[in-house]
Amino acid sequence: MAAPLTAVRARLLPVTCCTAAGTGGPPPPSKNSSNRPPHLLPLPTTGTTAPPLLRLEAPAPAPSAAAAAVAAMMLALSPDEALAVGGEFGILEGRSFALLHPLVMGGLFAYTLWAGYLGWQWRRVRTIQDEVNELKKQLKPAATPAAVGAGADSSSSSPPAASPKSPVEIKIEELTEERKALIKGSFRDRHFNAGSILLGLGVLESVGGALNTWFRTGKLFPGPHLFAGAAITVLWAAAAALVPAMQKGDETARSLHIALNAVNVLLFVWQIPTGLEIVGKVFEFTTWP
């Protein structure tokens, strides 16, 4: 569509009026009439009055649609608008709820290390017994006392002197005492309880973190932090799924359980820098509460 005419200004230009002798008609065209600019238009007149010329000026350019879209986008991304989806979710879009996820995940990282320690101690209870059984196989049978001579008085014979303990026997006693102390620690039950809490709260907060991002921005941002968080959640579930086989004594399941949780801890450590970057953006684009 052609742009509307925004300015029209008329100005009378000086002209020379020439008429033929004895006639009242309009003046003859001058030789320079062909050089007249195309934007000078004569106004209709009567008689011998010279026609004034109307000067038309070009309209001012209208703002383009692209410029208007860019301006609207800049207004939408203004830091003053902290709630990206317009505040329809209230406090769920604020800074308090956004900081809940990194705080909980930081606690879960420390709790993951604690659960791993408990699991290792419970594994130690089982492996110590295996070590004791292997050491007992290395013990030599005790020497039998010399037979008492025939007719000799048994009361006059002195008891045999106690032989010193061998290094193997000493090691067996040490391992046995250590195992008793570990059993008193109830590491099996404590590890099971810690793993259950870690699985439930971890999955809950992983989903909650994604929802919080959507509350604040109206969308998710695929990237290293999101993908690592999804992998950690899957590893939690996979490690927990191996527990029934572990309770039946499956050593393969136990080894795989340990391997999955080790990878989980490494992903957790690798995810911390990206999480801190997101926390910085939360402080930049959100307000209390």
Side-chain angles (χ1 to χ4, degrees), residues 275-285:
L276 293 178
E277 292 180 6
I278 297 176
V279 170
K281 293 180 181 179
V282 167
F283 278 101
E284 181 179 359
F285 296 105

Side-chain angles (χ1 to χ4, degrees), residues 2-83:
L5 184 63
T6 57
V8 177
R9 183 177 63 185
R11 185 179 64 175
L12 295 179
L13 299 180
V15 296
T16 303
C17 182
C18 300
T19 58
T23 64
S30 63
K31 296 180 180 181
N32 298 329
S33 61
S34 61
N35 297 328
R36 179 180 300 170
H39 58 275
L40 300 180
L41 304 177
L43 295 178
T45 56
T46 58
T48 59
T49 305
L53 299 180
L54 181 65
R55 182 183 298 272
L56 302 179
E57 293 186 351
S64 63
V70 172
M73 184 180 300
M74 295 301 294
L75 291 176
L77 297 178
S78 174
D80 296 335
E81 296 294 335
L83 307 181

Side-chain angles (χ1 to χ4, degrees), residues 47-164:
T48 59
T49 305
L53 299 180
L54 181 65
R55 182 183 298 272
L56 302 179
E57 293 186 351
S64 63
V70 172
M73 184 180 300
M74 295 301 294
L75 291 176
L77 297 178
S78 174
D80 296 335
E81 296 294 335
L83 307 181
V85 280
E88 58 188 275
F89 295 105
I91 195 174
L92 296 180
E93 301 177 29
R95 184 176 296 172
S96 300
F97 193 74
L99 293 179
L100 183 63
H101 176 73
L103 290 176
V104 173
M105 296 307 292
L108 286 179
F109 174 67
Y111 199 65
T112 299
L113 300 179
W114 172 246
Y117 167 77
L118 295 177
W120 186 260
Q121 293 299 94
W122 166 237
R123 180 179 177 83
R124 185 64 181 153
V125 172
R126 293 182 290 103
T127 57
I128 284 180
Q129 185 59 49
D130 295 337
E131 293 179 18
V132 170
N133 295 336
E134 290 295 328
L135 290 174
K136 286 182 177 180
K137 295 178 181 179
Q138 302 176 13
L139 288 177
K140 296 178 181 180
T144 59
V148 180
D153 187 8
S154 59
S155 60
S156 62
S157 62
S158 60
S163 60

Side-chain angles (χ1 to χ4, degrees), residues 253-270:
R254 288 170 176 168
S255 300
L256 186 57
H257 178 84
I258 295 174
L260 291 178
N261 283 289
V263 174
N264 197 322
V265 172
L266 293 178
L267 277 176
F268 231 131
V269 174
W270 181 78

Side-chain angles (χ1 to χ4, degrees), residues 118 122 185-196:
L118 295 177
W122 166 237
S186 302
F187 289 106
R188 179 181 181 275
D189 295 335
R190 293 167 65 187
H191 176 66
F192 184 85
N193 294 335
S196 300

